[in-house]
Amino acid sequence: QTVVTQEPSLTVSPGGTVTLTCASSTGAVTSVNYPNWYQQKPGQAPRSLIYSTTNKHPWTPTRFSGSLLGGKAALTLSGVRPEDEADYYCLLDFSGTWVFGGGTKLTVL
Amino acid sequence: EVQLVESGGGLVQPGGSLRLSCVVSGFTFSSYWMHWVRQSPGRGLLWVSRINTDGTITNYADSVKGRFTISRDDAKNTLFLQMNSLRADDTGVYYCVRGEMAAPGTDFWGQGTMVTVSS
């Protein structure tokens, strides 16, 4: 069974930069895993931020960016704002079966 | 405005069945892949299933394969999830999610419907 791993928690200061990563138990994450990233705040449905590694939706703030980094998918937040405090999930495609990571709780402090 | 509205959740006994529906509006339903995603109470997200535009391709998470069936009725702008042999660990909020058209991924989410499997 494929396992997707994210940092359980990260803390960042307002205005700072933080990178969240997403690793696969099957090996390096590549573009054919089509990494997606989601933000979820308490009591709300998740919101899609990034699809297919780097692509943003019209509502995705410019301070969010997606990439591949050292065999992992990565979500970088630059110029972090207090409202970015949330849970973040990655989603990877394994030949038609998609698997979420366990999520990263991002604290802005 | 894109809208996805789930329904059909509720309390069901272990071993029972339930059929979830997701009525969509604001876009051409037949042009999009669709997904179901589950979130168990206080826990993370589980991708459950997806279906392609004409219903000929379906994929499932290992934990639901053989028990759940995804389908769609384009005439009614409705996505379904038939859930059989339900277990306690199937409990959670089930979200209907639209596939992103430009490349593999998703974009819009519904607000979810709660399923509780308990005796």
Side-chain angles (χ1 to χ4, degrees), chain B residues 69-81:
Chain B
T69 302
I70 189 172
S71 62
R72 63 192 300 158
D73 184 339
D74 290 349
K76 296 183 178 180
N77 285 348
T78 305
L79 177 72
F80 300 103
L81 186 67

Side-chain angles (χ1 to χ4, degrees), chain A residues 36-79:
Chain A
N36 279 244
W37 290 93
Y38 303 87
Q39 178 191 66
Q40 187 178 33
K41 297 182 178 180
Q44 297 183 13
R47 181 174 73 143
S48 300
L49 291 176
I50 301 287
Y51 64 98
S52 291
T53 309
T54 61
N55 297 282
K56 299 181 186 182
H57 297 288
W59 54 82
T60 305
T62 55
R63 61 185 180 277
F64 289 84
S65 63
S67 64
L68 294 175
L69 198 63
K72 300 179 183 180
L75 176 70
T76 300
L77 287 71
S78 304

Side-chain angles (χ1 to χ4, degrees), chain B residues 34-46:
Chain B
M34 297 295 297
H35 302 249
W36 286 100
V37 172
R38 179 175 79 204
Q39 186 163 36
S40 300
R43 302 188 65 179
L45 301 172
L46 174 78

Side-chain angles (χ1 to χ4, degrees), chain A residues 9-104:
Chain A
S9 63
L10 291 170
T11 300
V12 61
S13 299
T17 296
V18 65
T19 296
L20 290 64
T21 67
C22 176
S24 167
S25 62
T26 63
V29 176
T30 70
S31 58
V32 299
N33 295 120
Y34 305 110
N36 279 244
W37 290 93
Y38 303 87
Q39 178 191 66
Q40 187 178 33
K41 297 182 178 180
Q44 297 183 13
R47 181 174 73 143
S48 300
L49 291 176
I50 301 287
Y51 64 98
S52 291
T53 309
T54 61
N55 297 282
K56 299 181 186 182
H57 297 288
W59 54 82
T60 305
T62 55
R63 61 185 180 277
F64 289 84
S65 63
S67 64
L68 294 175
L69 198 63
K72 300 179 183 180
L75 176 70
T76 300
L77 287 71
S78 304
V80 172
R81 303 174 69 161
E83 59 263 35
D84 296 333
E85 183 163 293
D87 293 327
Y88 291 85
Y89 295 92
C90 67
L91 177 65
L92 300 180
D93 179 5
F94 296 94
S95 300
T97 300
W98 294 71
V99 181
F100 277 101
T104 295

